[in-house]
Amino acid sequence: MTGDGCVRGDLLAPIEAHAAARPDAPALVFPDEGLSWAALAAAVEARAREIAALPPGGVALRLGNSTALIVLVLAAARAGREAQVLDPGWVARSEEHTSELQSPCNL
C-alpha cells in the first residue's frame, strides 16, 4: 500500500502463475459457485477486453461478494482501469456522497 492508500503492484501475476502450474485446482470457492485457476484467468481476460472497450474512466461495480465481483475487480486491473466497489445495499444518496468524498486510485 502506498501513502495515498492505493494498492499498487501486479495483482495478476500470481493468478497467471497458479493457472499455469495448477489449472484445475480451485481458485475461488463460494457456497454456490467456484472457479478453477484456469477458469479464473480466462474469465479475467474476457472481462478485461470488455472493460477496455468502454469509454475511458473508472468502473463502478455494484455486486455482492461473489466470483463475479472478484473477476470484475481483477479485469478492471488488467484493463488498466480504476474499480470502485459499491455495496448493493447502499441507497443512491449514500453512494453519491461516498463518490464525492473518495479519491480514486489506479489499480
Side-chain angles (χ1 to χ4, degrees):
M1 179 147 344
T2 64
D4 60 4
C6 297
V7 176
R8 306 244 193 271
D10 191 348
L11 299 173
L12 303 167
I15 293 169
E16 293 164 352
H18 281 290
R22 301 176 59 206
D24 297 324
L28 295 175
V29 179
F30 282 85
D32 296 329
E33 59 185 330
L35 291 175
S36 68
W37 287 106
L40 175 61
V44 167
E45 288 301 322
R47 296 308 296 249
R49 285 191 296 276
E50 294 172 14
I51 291 171
L54 296 173
V59 181
L61 306 171
R62 183 186 307 191
L63 297 167
N65 292 337
S66 63
T67 57
L69 177 61
I70 302 299
V71 166
L72 287 169
V73 167
L74 294 171
R78 168 64 78 211
R81 301 293 183 96
E82 300 168 359
Q84 183 177 22
V85 178
L86 305 174
D87 184 331
W90 285 0
V91 295
R93 183 151 172 80
S94 295
E95 290 176 1
E96 290 171 12
H97 179 68
T98 301
S99 295
E100 291 169 6
L101 294 176
Q102 183 172 350
S103 175
C105 58
N106 290 319
L107 297 176

